[in-house]
Amino acid sequence: MTIDWWTLGLQTVNVMLLVWLLGRFFWRPVSAMIEQRRVTAQQILTDAEGKRNQASAALAEIEQTRAGFVKEREAILAAAHEAAERAKAASIEDAASKANSLEAAAKLAIEKEKIDAEKAWADRASQLAVEIAGRLIERLDGDAVRTAFLEWLLKEIRALPEAVRHAAIGKGVTLKAVTATPLTTANQEHYRTQIGEAFGASPEISFKTDPNLIAGLELHGSHLIVSNSWRADLAKILEDVTHDSRP
Amino acid sequence: MNSPLDSIALFHFGPIPITAGVIATWVIMAILIIGAILVTRHMTLIPSSCQAAIELMVDTIDGQIRDTMQVSPAPYRSFIGTLFVFIFVANWSSLAPGVEPPTANLETDAALALLVFIAVISFGVRASGVRGYLATFAYPNPVMIPLNFIESLTRTFSMLVRLFGNVMSGVLVISIVLSLAGFLVPIPLMALDLLTGAVQAYIFAVLAMVFIAGAVSEDIHPAKTGNKRNSS
């Protein structure tokens, strides 16, 4: 066995050349590609990590915003609740005021109705009294009643002051004698004489009939009115009664 | 009958005899280089199946270098990877009819062992400097200098003999069986020869890594190699 040194050298050169060529055209490009992929993957991972951090930050911000929403919602609810409470209190106060007003108005109305009712009942009572008096007077003797009223009238005239009597029968004055029922001529003359004597003169007297007097004899002059009738008496009584019944 | 240990020159190029092993080496070199150019021509970030297979192979070799030498694989990838690929393809070239593996020739194996010997010195000097590399012969103590020096020669010779013996023996056995038993009978032996060829390629590459790692190891001169590796 011998070694051919030329062949040994040639194969050495061949293998060295192969090492260089494969290093140039195979190992370096492939390893560069692997490294490039590793760097790219690392970059993608870094980017992904960055995006994940951004997403986490965005999520935290959203959580914070949502927490703000909750606080804002609570504040809005509290404000709404407070406004509702205020509106409720205002409504209650308004309702109470209206109720008080209505109550006062109702009280006034009731009082007014009560007064009106009392007045109506008083009127009704007076009417009833007048009616009763009228019915009673119808059963009395007419002459006696007229005489009584004439006497009362004469008494009233005589009770007047002298100056008033003279003023009442002044010159040109016509007195008006009002009765509930018509008088006969004789009665009129009798009345005229009696009244003239009461005045101490002979005044002009005319006669008039007013059934509303119920019964009585009144004398109306320009400066004098002598109310001498049941109507006047009842009116006075009614006035007194009404005055007494008022608080 | 020619001895299987002899290389017969097919022709001469000046004083240089061109043997069948040299021709086969050139053919293998051409195939590997053209194939490398073709497969690396259109590489993309999203790899095809072929690119993925190539990258897997490169990544596996890087892993082997990293695990065996405990260093970054970049400075040694071309040398170790090319040794493995060339020996592997050369061993398996016996599958082609009439082709004798280049590694069945003593000169080719000697050239490979010589390159490993030179590479150990080169990487050792590059990593530690001349003084640092020479200091590795005094490891663990100066008494070991002669033994370490002899070891550096004998281990290279052992690589040569191991590869040559395994490949040449396989070829010789297959030739004998083929001449005696005829067609199809050598097939199991050829399959065994393929397995042996793959294992020998792996062993040769691993031994080269171990020898280079012994020259650049941080256990021997940590400060210098550490700086060198950081700078690389």
Side-chain angles (χ1 to χ4, degrees):
Chain A
M1 183 180 72
T2 56
I3 290 181
D4 186 89
W5 296 104
W6 283 108
T7 304
L8 172 61
L10 184 59
Q11 288 294 68
T12 302
V13 172
N14 286 337
V15 175
M16 288 177 64
L17 188 62
L18 182 63
V19 169
W20 183 78
L21 288 175
L22 284 186
R24 172 73 176 78
F25 294 109
F26 183 74
W27 303 108
R28 199 177 303 167
V30 175
S31 61
M33 178 55 64
I34 293 173
E35 181 64 16
Q36 183 181 356
R37 184 178 295 109
R38 188 191 67 77
V39 171
T40 303
Q42 185 64 39
Q43 183 64 39
I44 290 172
L45 287 175
T46 304
D47 294 344
E49 182 68 19
K51 290 188 183 302
R52 189 174 69 173
N53 292 335
Q54 289 179 355
S56 298
L59 184 62
E61 188 176 354
I62 289 171
E63 290 291 338
Q64 190 175 1
T65 304
R66 289 178 64 185
F69 284 163
V70 171
K71 288 182 180 177
E72 187 177 359
R73 172 177 168 272
E74 290 176 354
I76 291 172
L77 284 177
H81 185 69
E82 188 178 354
E85 287 293 330
R86 283 201 303 270
K88 178 184 172 185
S91 297
I92 290 174
E93 188 177 354
D94 187 45
S97 175
K98 287 182 178 177
N100 291 333
S101 299
L102 290 174
E103 185 181 7
K107 283 182 179 177
L108 286 176
I110 290 170
E111 188 67 23
K112 186 172 182 297
E113 286 179 359
K114 183 180 175 184
I115 292 171
D116 291 344
E118 287 178 353
K119 185 179 179 183
W121 281 113
D123 292 344
R124 178 61 180 158
S126 64
Q127 289 174 3
L128 184 60
V130 169
E131 188 176 348
I132 292 170
R135 288 186 182 181
L136 289 174
I137 204 64
E138 286 177 356
R139 296 180 62 182
L140 294 175
D141 183 4
D143 290 338
V145 171
R146 279 192 296 269
T147 301
F149 277 106
L150 177 61
E151 289 298 326
W152 289 336
L153 178 65
L154 295 175
K155 189 179 177 181
E156 290 286 336
I157 292 170
R158 288 186 190 109
L160 292 174
E162 186 70 24
V164 175
R165 283 204 304 269
H166 284 292
I169 58 173
K171 193 175 183 179
V173 174
T174 301
L175 298 177
K176 188 188 295 179
V178 183
T179 60
T181 56
L183 296 175
T184 61
T185 306
N187 285 338
Q188 290 182 1
E189 191 60 31
H190 176 70
Y191 277 30
R192 188 174 290 119
T193 302
Q194 290 294 320
I195 293 170
E197 288 177 357
F199 276 105
S202 298
E204 289 292 331
I205 299 174
S206 62
F207 290 91
K208 185 182 176 183
T209 302
D210 183 2
N212 291 330
L213 294 181
I214 304 172
L217 174 60
E218 291 187 350
L219 189 62
H220 296 180
S222 56
H223 303 291
L224 175 67
I225 294 176
V226 179
S227 298
N228 179 37
S229 66
W230 280 19
R231 184 183 66 178
D233 294 341
L234 289 174
K236 188 172 186 310
I237 292 169
L238 182 60
E239 184 180 359
D240 294 340
V241 170
T242 305
H243 181 72
D244 293 341
S245 64
R246 285 182 180 170
Chain B
M1 181 178 179
N2 294 327
S3 168
L5 301 180
D6 292 335
S7 297
I8 306 300
L10 298 179
F11 60 91
H12 285 76
F13 190 77
I16 304 172
I18 306 300
T19 63
V22 173
I23 298 294
T25 299
W26 286 345
V27 173
I28 290 170
M29 287 173 62
I31 291 172
L32 290 177
I33 292 166
I34 292 172
I37 293 172
L38 290 177
V39 298
T40 58
R41 190 171 47 180
H42 299 296
M43 287 197 300
T44 57
L45 283 178
I46 300 175
S48 62
S49 300
C50 177
Q51 181 182 342
I54 291 166
E55 290 182 3
L56 176 63
M57 183 187 76
V58 174
D59 197 51
T60 303
I61 291 173
D62 281 355
Q64 284 290 325
I65 295 172
R66 197 177 290 109
D67 293 342
T68 304
M69 302 177 68
Q70 302 296 318
V71 294
S72 173
Y76 314 102
R77 183 187 300 119
S78 296
F79 182 70
I80 301 296
T82 302
L83 278 183
F84 173 76
V85 171
F86 174 73
I87 295 171
F88 182 87
V89 175
N91 290 347
W92 280 35
S93 65
S94 61
L95 286 175
V99 176
E100 182 180 348
T103 46
N105 294 328
L106 190 59
E107 289 83 0
T108 305
D109 298 333
L112 293 171
L114 177 63
L115 285 176
V116 171
F117 180 76
I118 295 171
V120 169
I121 297 171
S122 172
F123 286 121
V125 171
R126 187 188 301 175
S128 314
V130 176
R131 183 183 293 272
Y133 172 70
L134 292 176
T136 61
F137 288 96
Y139 184 81
N141 55 63
V143 178
M144 299 296 291
I145 290 176
L147 292 177
N148 285 333
F149 182 75
I150 294 172
E151 182 207 8
S152 66
L153 297 176
T154 56
R155 70 187 181 187
T156 305
F157 187 73
S158 72
M159 292 176 70
L160 155 66
V161 173
R162 182 184 300 107
L163 180 61
F164 173 70
N166 280 280
V167 178
M168 184 274 295
S169 63
V171 173
L172 186 59
V173 168
I174 290 171
S175 300
I176 292 172
V177 172
L178 187 61
S179 63
L180 292 177
F183 194 57
L184 297 180
V185 176
I187 288 179
L189 293 174
M190 292 177 69
L192 181 62
D193 190 42
L194 293 179
L195 177 63
T196 302
V199 171
Q200 287 304 315
Y202 176 74
I203 289 174
F204 197 96
V206 169
L207 287 174
M209 285 188 280
V210 170
F211 297 158
I212 294 171
V216 301
S217 173
E218 291 183 355
D219 294 336
I220 299 173
H221 31 73
K224 278 193 160 185
T225 55
N227 292 336
K228 289 283 185 180
R229 276 164 207 149
N230 288 336
S231 63
S232 65

